[in-house]
Amino acid sequence: MKALIIGAGLGGLLAGAKLSKAGYEVEVFERLPFIGGRFANLEYRGFKLSTGALHMIPHGSRGPLAQLLREVGAEVTIIDSNPMAIIKKEDESNIEFHDFKKGLPVTKQVKLGTILAYSLKFKPKGDISFRDWILKYFSDEFLLRLADSYCGWSLSLAAKDVPAHEVLEIIDNMYRYKGPGIPAGGCGAVTESLSGIIRSNGGKINIRTCVDRIITDDGAAKGVSANGFFSRLTCRGLTG
Ligand SMILES: Cc1cc2nc3c(=O)[nH]c(=O)nc-3n(C[C@H](O)[C@H](O)[C@H](O)COP(=O)(O)OP(=O)(O)OC[C@H]3O[C@@H](n4cnc5c(N)ncnc54)[C@H](O)[C@@H]3O)c2cc1C
């Protein structure tokens, strides 16, 4: 069976690696002159430039992306951030991120632990911001500043600009999978490894090939037309 993939970014290459491992005849079409999309490193005057993603694998070696990379056999070394993050207090002392409650008096630590355990299981519904969600339970300057710092680090936004349920989802994932990791060799090493898997399974990756149309027949994809040529898709019930 043939699988045609539009775009050789991280998503297309991951899908291609998975499908080619599963026995599909994979063909990838990429309009740019390089593979990797926003997850690549380009050579420029002897240096490497990132095309988008800086360097982080969300949730490091235990996260969903790392799990997928292992599943397809990508040879990528992920170095987990250790410590995950540091909270710098005004007196210049440091608290490791997972000990963040230590910045609070004991009674607040217990209250926060209880509220957090409940809210991670039953995420708040509606549009309440993360800042307003904190203010519902606490009036504590340290927690508000920590919330801004956390949202800035994970989303580049302030706590007032992010829905509480979204931030709690991220906190939940951090408890489940831990913090980010760095791929040795940069983002380009990840996408290069994936393209290697596709090619070693007999797949083809065309660069400088812009798909201008998906050909359909009775609502089902039949092929693509790219740079004026037509590539057929062979799938159940269709011949190509
Ligand atoms: C500044 C920045 C920093 C980031 N930092 C991180 C980070 O640290 N960690 C992280 O995990 N993520 C980060 N990201 C996000 C990450 O880069 C993206 O989530 C990821 O690369 C998206 O992959 P994709 O395959 O979905 O899309 P893309 O990378 O955009 O790939 C889509 C590909 O499809 C091609 N294409 C589109 N249309 C056609 C067509 N008609 N025919 C042929 N080809 C086509 C495009 O040219 C492109 O190569 C960052 C993004 C940016 C912009």
Side-chain angles (χ1 to χ4, degrees):
M1 248 187 295
K2 194 161 182 180
L4 306 180
I5 296 176
I6 306 168
L10 180 60
L13 291 174
L14 259 174
K18 206 163 156 57
L19 290 169
S20 69
K21 264 203 98 176
Y24 282 76
E25 189 190 329
V26 167
E27 184 160 7
V28 184
F29 300 89
E30 170 54 57
R31 68 180 167 192
L32 295 174
F34 62 88
I35 62 149
R38 288 172 289 155
F39 218 86
N41 302 116
L42 294 183
E43 295 284 342
Y44 180 71
R45 294 187 184 173
F47 297 101
K48 285 186 188 225
L49 295 183
S50 166
T51 54
L54 302 176
H55 55 262
M56 282 208 290
I57 298 280
H59 302 300
S61 63
R62 300 179 188 84
L65 176 53
Q67 282 172 27
L68 265 174
L69 290 170
R70 270 195 297 276
E71 213 176 291
V72 298
E75 283 180 20
V76 179
T77 306
I78 298 171
I79 303 146
D80 290 324
S81 301
N82 186 15
M84 201 189 304
I86 293 274
I87 301 161
K88 206 160 207 44
K89 292 184 72 185
E90 261 166 1
D91 64 6
E92 292 295 308
S93 62
N94 292 332
I95 308 175
E96 285 202 20
F97 177 75
H98 59 265
D99 287 334
F100 73 94
K101 290 199 213 93
K102 285 187 181 161
L104 295 165
V106 177
T107 47
K108 277 192 183 166
Q109 286 188 30
V110 175
K111 184 176 169 188
L112 181 60
T114 314
I115 292 169
L116 211 48
Y118 177 83
S119 304
L120 288 178
K121 203 166 162 57
F122 305 101
K123 311 258 171 11
K125 295 197 169 61
D127 291 334
I128 185 166
S129 74
F130 190 47
R131 182 185 164 85
D132 287 344
W133 178 79
I134 292 173
L135 285 169
K136 246 175 81 173
Y137 302 105
F138 297 96
S139 157
D140 186 286
E141 193 51 31
F142 170 76
L143 272 183
L144 292 176
R145 296 220 321 265
L146 181 59
D148 270 337
S149 174
Y150 183 79
C151 292
W153 174 66
S154 56
L155 297 165
S156 305
L157 292 167
K160 71 175 174 45
D161 297 324
V162 198
H165 63 85
E166 175 134 0
V167 183
L168 288 163
E169 198 70 56
I170 295 171
I171 294 173
D172 206 5
N173 281 334
M174 285 194 67
Y175 279 120
R176 192 175 307 156
Y177 303 121
K178 304 282 182 287
I182 311 298
C187 294
V190 176
T191 39
E192 286 297 333
S193 170
L194 291 171
S195 64
I197 293 167
I198 295 172
R199 288 190 179 108
S200 68
N201 286 321
K204 197 171 163 202
I205 303 176
N206 308 286
I207 54 168
R208 293 191 173 88
T209 311
C210 184
V211 170
D212 47 59
R213 202 154 65 94
I214 297 172
I215 318 286
T216 57
D217 183 13
D218 210 11
K222 195 179 176 193
V224 298
S225 118
N227 288 3
F229 73 86
F230 174 70
S231 188
R232 275 171 193 273
L233 186 64
T234 317
C235 49
R236 260 184 284 272
L238 289 171
T239 48

